Amino acid sequence: MRFSRLILIFVIMTLLSCSNKKDKVANVIIDTGKEGNNLKKFLKTLPKKEADDSQTPYAEISMFLKGRDEVIKKDYAQGFETLARFLYTFPSSFHKSEASYLLGKTVIYMLESNPLYIKEFYQILNEETTTNSNTDNFEDSQPEKFSIDNVYKQLGIVEKDGNLSFNGEPFKRILRDEDSRFLLNDFAYYYSIRHRFSDIKIESDEERFGTNVMLLEALSDRYRTSVLQSILYSNKSYFPDSLPFKLNRTELAEYNSVKKNVLKRIKDIEPEYEKQAYVIGNGIIIRDRIVMPNAGKEKNLTKLQNYNFVTILKSKDIYNRQTREKDNWVLVEYDTFYGPLVGWAYGQYFTNDSNLAEVFDTYKNAMTAYDNYYYIEASNLFSGVLSYADTNYFTDKSAYFLWRLNNKVGDLVTSKDNPYYNYVEEYPKYFYYNTNTSILHSSTLLYNYLTKIMPDSPYKFRISGDSETVYNTD
């Protein structure tokens, strides 16, 4: 059921059952008089289509998603062009971390398949950008400042004796950047060292094998719950069952020690079952190991909020000597678009109410779509959560993220030949056009809705605290 119909039904039922609250309930529907006219005027003034050299938010996200899709489909050459153009055009983009990660993967491919094209493409890109831009907006792209050496440095390309090689710099940059929005540091770290792994085939590869062992040990020590440990150790090209050379006693002991630690860590994160669960706390830390008294060596991998969800892979009760009680720890897998993040957390912060199985499934799909920037799909799914007759754990969270989603859509409505334009036309009550700031953002509809059905929800205050809109329920 569409959310607009849900609101209408809610209002009608309340009016029929509680006539003395008529004025308050009526505020759930936004007055579309003057504000509605402002919205219509704004939509009418939009251009029919985006200009080819447009730098609007819609052009930005469209280019990023195009490049991401090309890399996921393993169309690395086209993905390289799209993402290189994206980062050149939008150097401070919200999607910079993800785009850098994806571009780094395409650079690996390009160096293997067509290394000379990298220089050729960036020269063309610089000429195009300079020709089609105002000098103020493209100061770093002016011909006198363009340097292929700087481009190579940014891309992690090293030129020596006429040969090009990769040093992993785009991935190292993600690891160094504290503001990076890219979650999977183990994946970024892996790609920063991937080029150093070698196939082991002949007797003279003994030194290379030693490097493989050292690199595997470094990744395992740094990210001890990473799924990449198993992927790397299982690669028989890197770690063959039968070595084409003989290790001396010291070398064999070192290799066996690394192998023992890695195999134990692989075993420690093997799933015993897969149970979907949602988070019931905020700032829940996911660690690379179970916290033991006085250990202090665990690494915080990420923090989850009460709108996140995970797959529980196993559970352990660990005796806490300080409290003299057992703490329940769970191994959880948090999915991202590029792979899983696996780690340990206190089990008390995760649950799964079987009575909410259907709505939870819809909510999971909605959040996944939202996190992956599929906003229209996410809107339909969040509306599906809100269509349930009774409020539940996911009701206020869905209303909040639908509100956030509409704010993002407001930035993306930059032409009529645009799916978000159609979305605004279909759901005009979701939006408010501020003529003073010339900004289209989410209206008070969802705030008022939450106030009526869940007056104590903290998400109501998140909305009012995050917005410049004047909120009023009188």
Side-chain angles (χ1 to χ4, degrees):
M1 181 184 294
R2 296 287 190 185
F3 181 64
S4 55
R5 284 186 296 218
L6 167 68
I7 294 292
L8 183 59
I9 291 171
F10 173 76
V11 172
I12 292 172
M13 290 177 64
T14 311
L15 285 172
L16 290 174
S17 62
C18 193
S19 60
N20 65 327
K21 295 183 180 179
K22 180 177 179 181
D23 291 338
K24 284 192 176 182
V25 173
N27 275 323
V28 176
I29 297 298
I30 301 296
D31 175 14
T32 59
K34 183 179 178 181
E35 293 179 1
N37 289 332
N38 288 339
L39 177 60
K40 290 177 183 177
K41 289 177 182 177
F42 165 72
L43 294 176
K44 283 183 179 179
T45 60
L46 291 173
K48 288 186 177 179
K49 60 182 297 185
E50 299 279 330
D52 292 339
D53 59 348
S54 171
Q55 294 181 57
T56 64
Y58 176 70
E60 177 184 344
I61 194 171
S62 297
M63 190 184 296
F64 167 70
L65 292 178
K66 179 176 182 290
R68 186 181 73 174
D69 289 346
E70 287 162 350
V71 175
I72 297 304
K73 294 175 183 175
K74 297 187 178 180
D75 186 358
Y76 293 118
Q78 190 59 51
F80 164 75
E81 291 191 8
T82 303
L83 292 164
R85 194 180 298 277
F86 171 79
L87 287 170
Y88 207 71
T89 309
F90 303 101
S92 301
S93 172
F94 174 87
H95 308 288
K96 182 178 179 179
S97 297
E98 287 182 73
S100 298
Y101 174 77
L102 294 166
L103 180 64
K105 293 178 72 171
T106 69
V107 169
I108 293 172
Y109 169 83
M110 295 301 293
L111 287 175
E112 294 173 351
S113 62
N114 193 1
L116 298 180
Y117 181 65
I118 296 175
K119 178 178 180 179
E120 179 185 335
F121 175 77
Y122 268 93
Q123 288 174 330
I124 295 171
L125 177 58
N126 181 67
E127 292 171 4
E128 286 179 359
T129 308
T130 305
T131 302
N132 297 332
S133 66
N134 296 319
T135 55
D136 289 344
N137 294 332
F138 285 83
E139 186 176 315
D140 294 335
S141 302
Q142 295 308 299
E144 64 271 20
K145 294 187 177 182
F146 175 79
S147 164
I148 193 61
D149 290 336
N150 289 339
V151 170
Y152 280 173
K153 184 178 179 181
Q154 288 292 310
L155 295 178
I157 297 173
V158 179
E159 187 171 16
K160 185 177 180 180
D161 299 329
N163 296 317
L164 301 178
S165 60
F166 183 65
N167 67 9
E169 178 57 31
F171 307 112
K172 295 174 185 175
R173 204 157 50 240
I174 291 173
L175 296 171
R176 292 193 299 265
D177 184 1
E178 293 182 358
D179 296 325
S180 171
R181 296 181 178 90
F182 189 77
L183 273 183
L184 295 177
N185 282 350
D186 56 332
F187 279 64
Y189 181 76
Y190 161 68
Y191 278 106
S192 75
I193 62 173
R194 172 184 178 273
H195 60 287
R196 299 179 59 193
F197 281 93
S198 303
D199 290 350
I200 306 303
K201 298 178 180 178
I202 56 179
E203 187 175 354
S204 59
D205 288 336
E206 182 176 356
E207 186 175 339
R208 291 190 177 94
F209 179 74
T211 300
N212 286 357
V213 174
M214 177 194 70
L215 293 173
L216 176 63
E217 180 183 28
L219 184 140
S220 179
D221 286 345
R222 190 166 181 171
Y223 303 104
R224 60 189 292 159
T225 55
S226 174
V227 297
L228 294 171
Q229 296 173 99
S230 178
I231 294 171
L232 282 169
Y233 182 72
S234 300
N235 188 327
K236 297 306 178 185
S237 296
Y238 299 158
F239 301 100
D241 293 328
S242 178
L243 296 174
F245 43 79
K246 190 172 182 179
L247 299 175
N248 63 38
R249 183 179 297 179
T250 301
E251 291 169 336
L252 184 60
E254 289 176 352
Y255 176 44
N256 285 335
S257 175
V258 171
K259 184 164 65 171
K260 179 181 177 182
N261 284 336
V262 171
L263 288 174
K264 180 182 183 305
R265 290 167 185 171
I266 292 172
K267 181 71 175 176
D268 285 344
I269 64 171
E270 285 181 357
E272 294 177 353
Y273 51 83
E274 294 185 358
K275 183 173 71 174
Q276 296 298 308
Y278 50 90
V279 183
I280 53 174
N282 283 311
I284 308 307
I285 299 172
I286 306 300
R287 299 173 169 90
D288 73 334
R289 69 197 81 179
I290 295 174
V291 178
M292 303 300 288
N294 304 320
K297 295 180 180 180
E298 66 278 353
K299 184 188 280 86
N300 293 350
L301 302 178
T302 192
K303 288 184 180 180
L304 300 182
Q305 310 301 323
N306 67 359
Y307 48 75
N308 292 127
F309 51 89
V310 298
T311 302
I312 297 179
L313 305 178
K314 63 172 58 175
S315 174
K316 283 188 177 182
D317 289 327
I318 304 294
Y319 181 72
N320 186 326
R321 288 179 293 180
Q322 294 176 342
T323 63
R324 297 184 180 181
E325 294 179 350
K326 286 187 176 180
D327 292 330
N328 179 243
W329 285 83
V330 290
L331 182 70
V332 301
E333 180 180 288
Y334 177 69
D335 251 346
T336 78
F337 191 85
Y338 305 101
L341 184 152
V342 177
W344 291 94
Y346 284 112
Q348 62 184 311
Y349 298 118
F350 303 88
T351 191
N352 189 343
D353 185 348
S354 59
N355 294 323
L356 295 177
E358 183 180 356
V359 65
F360 181 28
D361 190 55
T362 303
Y363 174 80
K364 281 189 297 183
N365 292 332
M367 282 301 302
T368 299
Y370 175 87
D371 288 338
N372 295 331
Y373 320 116
Y374 300 134
Y375 294 133
I376 293 178
E377 178 185 344
S379 173
N380 292 332
L381 290 164
F382 281 131
S383 297
V385 174
L386 295 173
S387 70
Y388 285 85
D390 298 323
T391 59
N392 56 68
Y393 186 77
F394 307 105
T395 302
D396 56 350
K397 297 160 190 63
S398 294
Y400 171 66
F401 276 97
L402 184 54
W403 175 84
R404 285 186 61 173
L405 180 157
N406 289 335
N407 272 328
K408 293 179 183 295
V409 167
D411 284 337
L412 300 174
V413 182
T414 52
S415 72
K416 294 177 182 177
D417 184 23
N418 175 323
Y420 302 109
Y421 173 88
N422 298 332
Y423 176 83
V424 174
E425 278 204 319
E426 188 172 0
Y427 304 107
K429 288 183 168 58
Y430 278 162
F431 297 93
Y432 164 72
Y433 183 68
N434 190 325
T435 55
N436 294 325
T437 59
S438 299
I439 293 175
L440 177 64
H441 51 68
S442 188
S443 71
T444 61
L445 178 68
L446 289 159
Y447 172 84
N448 288 342
Y449 175 65
L450 269 187
T451 299
K452 301 301 178 184
I453 65 167
M454 300 181 75
D456 297 325
S457 170
Y459 283 90
K460 177 188 69 174
F461 302 105
R462 288 199 190 192
I463 293 176
S464 61
D466 289 348
S467 176
E468 295 179 359
T469 308
V470 176
Y471 286 83
N472 183 12
T473 58
D474 292 338

